[in-house]
Amino acid sequence: MHNCLLFGLALVLVFLPNCCFAENPDDSLLIYAVNVHQTPMQGWGPGYGIYLGKGLFITAAHVAGRTWLTRPKVAILGQEYPTRVVKEGSLEGTDLTILSVEEGLLPLRLRLRRSPLCDDFPWPGEEVITVVPKGTARSRVIAPERIPLSVRKFSTAIVDVAKTGNSGSGVFDAHRRCLLGIMSRKISQTRTQNGSGKTETRDIAKYFVPASAIREFIPAGTTF
């Protein structure tokens, strides 16, 4: 009997790491990520959004589009939910739109969640996690001086353009797990080669609308 107990304990110790520690801790943020569908579905594929709490979702304005025309829906695990537009921005202005879904319709696991906004402004080198429904990716905030002067107004940006989430995805502080911003657009740079005169355009960063702008955008009296 004693030997059997020892053998059973050994099995637990051997198999525990595989069953309990293999999951990426960053994946705990996946619950906040949703898809945003226009009506009819946009040709470039589903957009992204983040759940704030109390039935409120935030996305990039150009993902939702002109909402009177696109009638955006929030999609969670393939299930679409009709929305009410709380506030609509624009790509040229503040690239944010806030949508509301009747809270009672949402999965219980989501209704219990809240995404707090970060209080501090993003700083160069800050480690972040970008989040979309199908996965997460780590990156860092880029120093503003590395962004071309012509577009330096988009100063809150991250590196790792290819592997991180696209428009509407969430940018979370990697340590505090607060919402640092919403992804808006790529920042590209065009260079002309000496001698050949050929031009080359490459993506160097991704701009996200920071939490401070989100806080200003949210209508007065709105809580989540």
Side-chain angles (χ1 to χ4, degrees):
M1 179 70 175
H2 181 67
N3 290 337
C4 289
L5 288 174
L6 288 177
F7 179 69
L9 179 60
L11 284 176
V12 170
L13 292 175
V14 168
F15 292 110
L16 186 60
N18 293 329
C19 69
C20 301
F21 298 105
E23 184 179 352
N24 182 352
D26 294 352
D27 288 349
S28 63
L29 295 171
L30 290 175
I31 192 169
Y32 298 103
V34 300
N35 287 120
V36 176
H37 296 171
Q38 295 182 8
T39 308
M41 180 71 166
Q42 56 268 36
W44 41 266
Y48 302 120
I50 291 294
Y51 185 60
L52 293 176
K54 292 189 176 179
L56 296 179
F57 296 82
I58 190 164
T59 184
H62 72 274
V63 168
R66 299 293 178 89
T67 55
W68 63 269
L69 178 64
T70 63
R71 293 171 288 134
K73 299 180 181 68
V74 165
I76 303 170
L77 298 177
Q79 174 69 45
E80 289 188 335
Y81 298 85
T83 67
R84 175 179 64 84
V85 179
V86 176
K87 188 174 181 179
E88 180 178 334
S90 67
L91 180 62
E92 299 76 19
T94 303
D95 193 15
L96 296 173
T97 287
I98 298 176
L99 304 172
S100 175
V101 173
E102 186 178 336
E103 193 173 7
L105 298 177
L106 296 172
L108 181 60
R109 64 183 181 86
L110 193 59
R111 278 184 266 161
L112 299 174
R113 304 283 179 156
R114 300 290 184 272
S115 288
L117 299 178
C118 294
D119 293 322
D120 299 330
F121 199 75
W123 47 270
E126 182 175 2
E127 192 170 10
V128 302
I129 304 168
T130 64
V131 184
V132 299
K134 290 186 177 181
T136 62
R138 289 211 170 206
S139 186
R140 291 184 182 276
V141 175
I142 191 173
E145 55 267 24
R146 291 179 58 190
I147 298 173
L149 277 172
S150 59
V151 289
R152 196 165 290 178
K153 65 178 181 178
F154 304 118
S155 60
T156 51
I158 62 169
V159 294
D160 304 310
V161 176
K163 70 176 186 178
T164 51
N166 290 325
S167 300
S169 59
V171 181
F172 289 81
D173 179 274
H175 301 289
R176 292 171 293 168
R177 303 301 172 105
C178 54
L179 183 62
L180 196 64
I182 292 295
M183 201 69 76
S184 173
R185 72 197 77 189
K186 293 179 182 179
I187 298 174
S188 302
Q189 187 174 42
T190 301
R191 293 180 176 178
T192 302
Q193 298 178 3
N194 292 330
S196 67
K198 292 182 178 180
T199 59
E200 178 188 39
T201 300
R202 63 187 185 94
D203 299 327
I204 60 172
K206 277 182 178 175
Y207 164 70
F208 62 89
V209 183
S212 56
I214 295 174
R215 192 172 280 110
E216 291 178 4
F217 185 79
I218 295 173
T222 303
T223 60
F224 59 90

